DNA sequence: CGGTTACCCTGGATGC
DNA sequence: TGCATCCAGGGTAACC
């Protein structure tokens, strides 16, 4: 579910609740989500551990435990998310963080159970895992580095932007928003962009993601919410995603919804006038 | 090897 | 109301 802005919003919400806090207990309710490590290791190292840091790599949440208790990595994927201060017990809890002094609870829930949980012994192990499956973070990649990575594939620009090994953090919503702002058609070849288009694309990635973070991400239906249960504000002002047949905010041409090669069933929204082939 | 598809899950919306 | 179908923001394994 969440892309980079939603995961960043989760992390910012978790920090005040977790940083420096001691875990009385880490309760694993669904061991099948654990991809690396085991429920026993998570419980053993979580018990009594202090949370040293909560951060993000691409779409992954990274929790560092003090005193060599290891690193917990959570990939929320489509429907994973955290709850703080929820009065009633939510559905589909997969992990419960029981905090000590004062006692409090942080829930990690995942309706569809597509998300993954991993425990690594140390930062180096976690770093290896990250580098195996992720390219540079979308907020940190440089313009020339982006150009170089896009030139290495024969695919279209949209599936390439969504490939986490090329750059980490962009999914289906923000790929469409970024391409609209950069005025690039989603079916253009990733390696065929002009210098000017690459400049616009690099700038759009940064600006769209920063704007979305400032608005606490994108919410619709029963999907992503902030850790406090609030909806993100980005989809109230976005350019194309979910706006089929509505007028483009730049030129008033109706937004098109299509399916494109390389992206199985996912929808793509774009403006046929602003985004030419 | 690079690119494309099937599939992992569940719940809500829609259509008959 | 009941049942079937479709759809969803992600990612990986298997296939061509």
């Amino acid at each position: 579910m969440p892309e980079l802005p939603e995961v960043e919003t989760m992390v910012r919400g978790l920090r005040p609740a977790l940083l420096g806090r001691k875990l009385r207990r880490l309760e694993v309710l669904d061991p099948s989500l654990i991809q690396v490590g085991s429920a026993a290791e998570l419980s053993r190292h979580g018990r009594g551990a202090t949370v040293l840091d909560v951060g993000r790599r691409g779409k992954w949440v990274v929790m560092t435990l003090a005193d060599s208790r290891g690193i917990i990595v959570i990939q929320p994927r489509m429907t994973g998310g955290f709850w703080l201060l929820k009065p009633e017990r939510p559905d589909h809890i997969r992990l419960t963080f029981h905090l000590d002094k004062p006692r409090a609870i942080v829930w990690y829930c995942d309706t569809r159970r597509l998300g993954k949980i991993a425990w690594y012994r140390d930062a180096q192990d976690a770093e290896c895992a990250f580098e195996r499956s992720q390219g540079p973070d979308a907020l940190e990649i440089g313009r020339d580095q982006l150009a170089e990575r896009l030139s290495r594939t024969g695919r279209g620009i949209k599936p390439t932007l969504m490939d986490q090994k090329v750059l980490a953090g962009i999914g289906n919503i923000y790929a469409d928003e970024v391409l609209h702002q950069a005025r690039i058609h989603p079916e253009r070849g990733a390696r065929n962009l002009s210098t000017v288009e690459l400049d616009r694309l690099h700038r759009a990635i940064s600006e769209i993601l920063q704007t979305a973070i400032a608005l606490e991400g994108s919410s619709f239906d029963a999907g992503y919410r902030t850790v406090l249960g609030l909806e993100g504000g980005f989809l109230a002002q976005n350019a194309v995603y979910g706006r089929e047949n509505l007028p483009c905010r730049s030129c008033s041409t109706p937004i098109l919804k299509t399916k494109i090669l390389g992206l199985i069933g996912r929808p793509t929204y774009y403006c046929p006038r602003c985004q030419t082939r």
Side-chain angles (χ1 to χ4, degrees), chain A residues 103-129:
Chain A
R103 290 198 176 190
I105 282 181
V106 174
W107 281 299
Y108 172 69
C109 304
D110 183 357
T111 312
R112 283 165 69 182
R113 307 193 319 173
L114 294 170
K116 297 291 176 203
I117 297 168
W119 179 82
Y120 298 101
R121 193 162 299 282
D122 54 37
Q124 204 170 19
D125 280 9
E127 188 62 30
C128 285

Side-chain angles (χ1 to χ4, degrees), chain A residues 2-277:
Chain A
E3 306 181 34
L4 186 152
E6 290 74 33
V7 176
E8 178 65 26
T9 303
M10 287 178 193
V11 166
R12 292 184 183 190
L14 288 173
R15 274 192 196 121
L18 288 178
L19 283 193
R21 296 294 305 276
K22 190 172 186 176
L23 297 180
R24 189 160 54 87
R25 191 159 69 95
L26 181 56
E27 185 184 3
V28 179
L29 291 97
D30 188 346
S32 72
L33 298 192
I34 299 174
Q35 198 176 32
V36 178
S38 64
E41 279 175 313
L42 270 169
S43 307
R44 180 153 50 88
H45 292 94
R47 183 183 300 276
T50 299
V51 181
L52 195 62
D53 189 34
V54 181
R56 176 188 65 74
R57 296 295 295 264
K59 302 177 192 175
W60 299 8
V61 176
V62 182
M63 297 183 185
T64 305
L65 303 179
D67 307 315
S68 305
R69 297 297 194 94
I71 309 231
I72 301 168
V73 174
I74 297 177
Q75 301 180 46
R77 299 225 183 152
M78 296 281 267
T79 50
F82 294 88
W83 284 106
L84 304 184
L85 308 173
K86 191 170 169 59
E88 77 276 22
R89 192 182 165 80
D91 292 332
H92 316 295
I93 302 169
R94 311 298 173 193
L95 211 52
T96 305
F97 298 81
H98 298 267
L99 304 178
D100 214 353
K101 296 182 211 161
R103 290 198 176 190
I105 282 181
V106 174
W107 281 299
Y108 172 69
C109 304
D110 183 357
T111 312
R112 283 165 69 182
R113 307 193 319 173
L114 294 170
K116 297 291 176 203
I117 297 168
W119 179 82
Y120 298 101
R121 193 162 299 282
D122 54 37
Q124 204 170 19
D125 280 9
E127 188 62 30
C128 285
F130 185 81
E131 282 172 12
R132 254 200 318 278
S133 54
Q134 313 250 39
D137 195 272
L139 277 181
E140 286 169 17
I141 192 168
R143 187 259 180 225
D144 293 344
Q145 193 181 19
L146 175 68
E148 195 275 321
R149 294 190 149 246
L150 294 182
S151 74
R152 288 195 297 202
T153 180
R155 287 179 295 169
I157 184 61
K158 183 175 176 187
T160 305
L161 280 181
M162 291 172 63
D163 184 340
Q164 304 303 295
K165 285 185 172 143
V166 175
L167 74 168
I170 295 177
N172 201 41
I173 291 183
Y174 296 108
D176 282 356
E177 296 298 320
V178 161
L179 288 172
H180 179 268
Q181 180 172 317
R183 306 200 299 281
I184 295 169
H185 191 284
E187 288 178 293
R188 287 282 302 282
R191 61 159 66 119
N192 297 333
L193 301 182
S194 70
T195 302
V196 178
E197 286 171 327
L198 281 166
D199 288 341
R200 287 206 305 262
L201 180 62
H202 181 251
R203 176 186 283 261
I205 288 170
S206 177
E207 288 184 359
I208 292 286
L209 295 179
Q210 297 282 8
T211 299
I213 290 169
L215 293 168
E216 302 193 301
S218 299
S219 296
F220 61 83
D221 300 336
Y224 157 82
R225 295 290 183 275
T226 72
V227 296
L228 299 177
L230 304 174
E231 293 193 15
F234 185 77
L235 287 188
Q237 59 109 72
N238 71 318
V240 286
Y241 188 86
R243 299 193 66 242
E244 184 182 16
N245 294 329
L246 294 174
C248 172
R249 300 198 204 276
S250 300
C251 74
S252 301
T253 303
I255 299 300
L256 293 183
K257 177 182 182 181
T258 59
K259 309 260 186 207
I260 68 175
L261 199 65
L263 279 181
I264 321 147
R266 304 234 168 88
T268 290
Y269 299 86
Y270 71 101
C271 170
R273 183 161 171 193
C274 295
Q275 298 168 265
T276 57
R277 289 171 192 268

